[in-house]
Amino acid sequence: MGITRVRPLLGGFAEWKRRGYPLEETVFFGEAQASSK
Amino acid sequence: VGTVHESLVRLAQHAYVVLFVWVAAEQLGLPIPAVPILIAAGVLSAMGQLTFSGAFALGILACLIGDSAWYVIGKWKGTAVLKTLCRMSLEPESCVRQSSDFISRHGARSLVVAKFIPGISTVAVPLAANSGISILSFFIYDLLGSVVYVGAYLGVGRLLGDRIDKLDMLAGSLQTATAGLAAAGTVAILAWRFHQRRKILGDLRMARIKPEEVLGSLDKGEKPYIVDLRHALDFLPDPRVIPGAIRMAPNEVTARQQEIPRDREIILYCT
């Protein structure tokens, strides 16, 4: 089955941050990082 | 005969100026491809209208001047100038990331071949400067790159000119034909770049999702699969993500495609 829909975020991370929308901290596992839920 | 000779001398002098200005302008980032002009200069050298060594030296000098300017700007302004440079040269902004990966893999040696690679050629020098390459390394590898770039296209033109020279019927109108072909080649490359850029921007504009739509989706409890594609260098200054986003470097997407769900909307973001 193919991927339903892929959409880039307009303005990227910078625009999301500029608007004061929520962000969450991340935790690091060496080279790889994953988001903390 | 004297008047004809004078005209040819004047034209040859003019051709040197055109060649120099054109190549320097391309290297400074203007969207005017120098390849047709270099090939045309090679053809004219075969006809004795230019000296090959003169055209070669001027072409290299023009490259070094343009690249040195971007080396200084890259050192001074960092990566902030790169998006402007991509827009100015009609290359997609994605060229910055491609070039960054290319230069981090190959270092200063990347400057030897960068001029031949569309997209990378434009931003290679300021990126290399920003990555800390010393001025001596820059000069040596950029000189090598300029020699290879100018020499290759002048050489192609010279070979073409040598063949055309043997056809007497073309020889009389060679200058006009060469100038016409160089102009047509330049216009064709420009039109193609402009069309590609418009197409990429158009496709992106249609497909993009607005931040408020993503926020609304999260508020409603929907679970779009959000992927943070920021480069490590961009991520480290602010290691936070949009809620629920997973981190994935752009070059990991293929290897990690099994992790990507097939039944959810995928939202990608970078810087």
Side-chain angles (χ1 to χ4, degrees), chain B residues 65-147:
Chain B
I65 288 173
D67 290 346
S68 300
W70 278 113
Y71 181 85
V72 172
I73 294 170
K75 278 264 181 205
W76 175 40
K77 286 278 184 184
T79 52
V81 293
L82 296 174
K83 279 191 176 176
T84 311
L85 181 54
C86 285
R87 282 192 198 119
M88 196 166 88
S89 60
L90 292 179
E91 298 284 2
E93 278 82 8
S94 60
C95 66
V96 176
R97 189 59 66 223
Q98 287 167 13
S99 308
S100 183
D101 292 341
F102 185 71
I103 285 163
S104 58
R105 269 202 308 275
H106 303 288
R109 281 172 300 168
S110 55
L111 295 176
V112 178
V113 293
K115 292 190 191 308
F116 291 94
I117 309 172
I120 288 179
S121 59
T122 315
V123 293
V125 170
L127 265 175
N130 191 241
S131 73
I133 288 171
S134 72
I135 192 155
L136 184 65
S137 291
F138 158 74
F139 183 76
I140 291 169
Y141 286 106
D142 195 57
L143 178 63
L144 268 175
S146 303
V147 166

Side-chain angles (χ1 to χ4, degrees), chain B residues 16-17 19 55 58 68-69 86 98 113 126 128 134 142-143 160 173 196-197 205 213 216 219 228 230 253 258:
Chain B
Y16 284 120
V17 175
L19 173 71
L58 272 181
S68 300
C86 285
Q98 287 167 13
V113 293
S134 72
D142 195 57
L143 178 63
L160 279 174
S173 56
Q196 288 293 104
R197 186 174 171 82
R205 211 171 290 128
E213 290 179 72
D219 287 346
D228 181 317
R230 281 178 294 162
V253 173
Q258 293 306 321

Side-chain angles (χ1 to χ4, degrees), chain B residues 9 13 15 17 20 37 51 64 79 89 116 140 149 170 262:
Chain B
V9 169
Q13 286 170 342
V17 175
F20 178 77
I37 297 296
T51 64
L64 290 177
T79 52
S89 60
F116 291 94
I140 291 169
Y149 176 68
L170 275 177
R262 265 52 185 167

